[in-house]
Amino acid sequence: MSTEHPEADAPGTGEAPWSSNLLAMADLVTPMALRVAATLRLADHLAEGVTSIDALAERTGADRRALSRVVKHLAALNVFHEEAADEYRLTPLGEQLRSGGSGCVQSWLDINGAIGRADLAIAHLLDTVRSGEPAYPRVYGSQFWDDMERDPALSATFDEQMGSGAAVKAPALAAGYPWESVRHVADVGGGNGTLLIGLLTAHPHLTGTLIDRPGPAAAGADAFAAAGIADRCRAVPQSFFDPLPTGADVYVISGVLHDWDDERATEILRRAAQGAASGGGRVVVVEALIEQTGRATPATVMDLRMLVFLTGRGRSADELAQLAKAAGLSMTTRYELMRHHSLIEFAVDA
């Protein structure tokens, strides 16, 4: 069976079909080649001087001929540069594929990591569109969160990746909200504590509570000690569907609600409202909102990931306000923290 493009122009366009932007947008070959390179850590090996295909194949345990074809494709895209026959070096673009801790491109594309692994389920988007059910359990035989609970190493990659996103948001959140009137902040579903560390470092008068699953809560406690704020911040290992610690002035829910369907998202908001009610506190939601812009944004990409991975969804500000109302909260203020991310403050209804 030939997979070459036909020589005839696309009907009615006057152009060859393979010149269509739609085909470029739908390409699966290059994204998967990049993910293979990230998973095999080819950029790291090249940076260490392992530059021949033979040596790379030996180092990664890959088939030499198959690996050569992947590397040649990426070289054609300027990710690598072919110095001589089967000898390669990194380009400035390829340098971005080197591993470098949480948040690096390599960690997000690594098929062995939580997000890279889950992304493979997107190939089954059609099944999800037809059934309305996440494809992730069809592919892996279990729910996403069950895998995180069962596999500490996989869960750690997820927490690191979410922490990298929190690190990007933390400066904007620290500068974009009136923290001077706040004494204690609770981060609901705060992962490994990255966001709280950013807030408490920027505002030394604040104290904090991290609330998350036992694994990330333990990582958060260690991170607080390393950051020198253990005396001002504690980690509470628990579900955010259970009653939350009371007494915080602000309950932050950042990048959490889109993971859950409306019923469960409302329950998270309700638990935060109950915690805030005891001391006249507020609930602050940070999300990438889906707005009627007519343009694809990170929020629409995230929305489709949630469709495939979980039962969650992206929402507009109005939709979040409706969920909050059902949880006993009323919107008071909306701040634009940074591009594609908004902060919405809610007060507990009397």
Side-chain angles (χ1 to χ4, degrees):
M1 179 180 68
S2 173
T3 58
E4 294 181 0
H5 296 299
E7 295 299 327
D9 287 347
T13 67
E15 297 182 357
W18 61 90
S19 67
S20 168
N21 287 337
L22 290 177
L23 285 182
M25 292 167 64
D27 174 44
L28 296 178
V29 173
T30 298
M32 285 308 304
L34 285 168
R35 289 169 187 268
V36 167
T39 305
L40 295 178
R41 287 174 166 71
L42 295 184
D44 289 348
H45 300 318
L46 288 169
E48 293 167 2
V50 183
T51 58
S52 72
I53 288 296
D54 287 338
L56 286 169
E58 182 177 358
R59 177 70 68 91
T60 61
D63 178 85
R64 181 204 180 280
R65 288 178 293 181
L67 180 64
S68 175
R69 291 158 74 171
V70 170
V71 173
K72 282 185 182 294
H73 176 63
L74 294 177
L77 297 171
N78 199 37
V79 177
F80 306 129
H81 177 73
E82 190 168 13
E83 299 268 74
D86 289 337
E87 287 281 342
Y88 294 88
R89 65 170 171 81
L90 284 176
T91 66
L93 181 61
E95 287 280 347
Q96 297 178 40
L97 272 181
R98 293 179 64 178
S99 59
S102 63
C104 68
V105 172
Q106 183 274 331
S107 73
W108 284 84
L109 296 180
D110 188 342
I111 294 169
N112 292 327
I115 302 301
R117 180 175 183 269
D119 274 347
L120 299 186
I122 294 172
H124 299 265
L125 177 60
L126 178 60
D127 293 336
T128 290
V129 170
R130 283 176 168 163
S131 68
E133 298 296 325
Y136 184 98
R138 293 169 176 252
V139 175
Y140 295 111
S142 57
Q143 300 290 337
F144 180 86
W145 293 120
D146 290 342
D147 278 350
M148 296 305 104
E149 290 292 338
R150 184 166 45 245
D151 189 335
L154 191 66
S155 180
T157 68
F158 176 78
D159 294 331
E160 288 171 2
Q161 289 162 341
M162 296 304 101
S164 71
V168 172
K169 289 183 283 187
L173 181 58
Y177 187 76
W179 296 106
E180 62 274 5
S181 63
V182 177
R183 295 166 303 162
H184 189 88
V185 55
D187 192 356
V188 180
N192 61 12
T194 300
L195 191 67
L196 266 184
I197 290 172
L199 288 179
L200 269 64
T201 300
H203 299 284
H205 73 282
L206 286 177
T207 58
T209 299
L210 170 68
I211 303 161
D212 211 316
R213 295 172 292 119
D222 291 340
F224 299 150
I229 60 170
D231 60 329
R232 293 194 287 133
C233 201
R234 65 176 179 137
V236 178
Q238 68 157 88
S239 168
F240 43 49
F241 295 115
D242 295 331
L244 302 180
T246 60
D249 301 303
V250 171
Y251 288 76
V252 173
I253 307 173
S254 177
V256 170
L257 296 181
H258 65 248
D259 289 341
W260 304 94
D261 60 26
D262 287 352
E263 180 180 358
R264 301 291 267 174
T266 302
E267 183 60 22
I268 296 168
L269 288 166
R270 182 176 293 111
R271 290 302 190 187
Q274 290 167 349
S278 64
R282 292 156 280 172
V283 176
V284 164
V285 172
V286 178
E287 283 283 352
L289 300 178
I290 292 183
E291 305 289 7
Q292 301 303 316
T293 61
R295 300 189 304 273
T297 69
T300 61
V301 173
M302 177 273 294
D303 187 41
L304 290 183
R305 274 195 166 104
M306 296 304 97
L307 180 68
V308 171
F309 298 178
L310 302 160
T311 58
R313 56 186 291 262
R315 297 176 178 89
S316 68
D318 288 343
E319 288 171 325
L320 283 175
Q322 291 172 10
L323 297 186
K325 182 178 180 180
L329 296 165
S330 296
M331 183 189 297
T332 54
T333 312
R334 173 176 170 179
Y335 301 86
E336 298 306 318
L337 286 186
M338 53 192 293
R339 189 181 182 192
H340 304 307
H341 282 84
S342 299
L343 179 154
I344 303 177
E345 181 190 77
F346 297 95
V348 181
D349 293 338

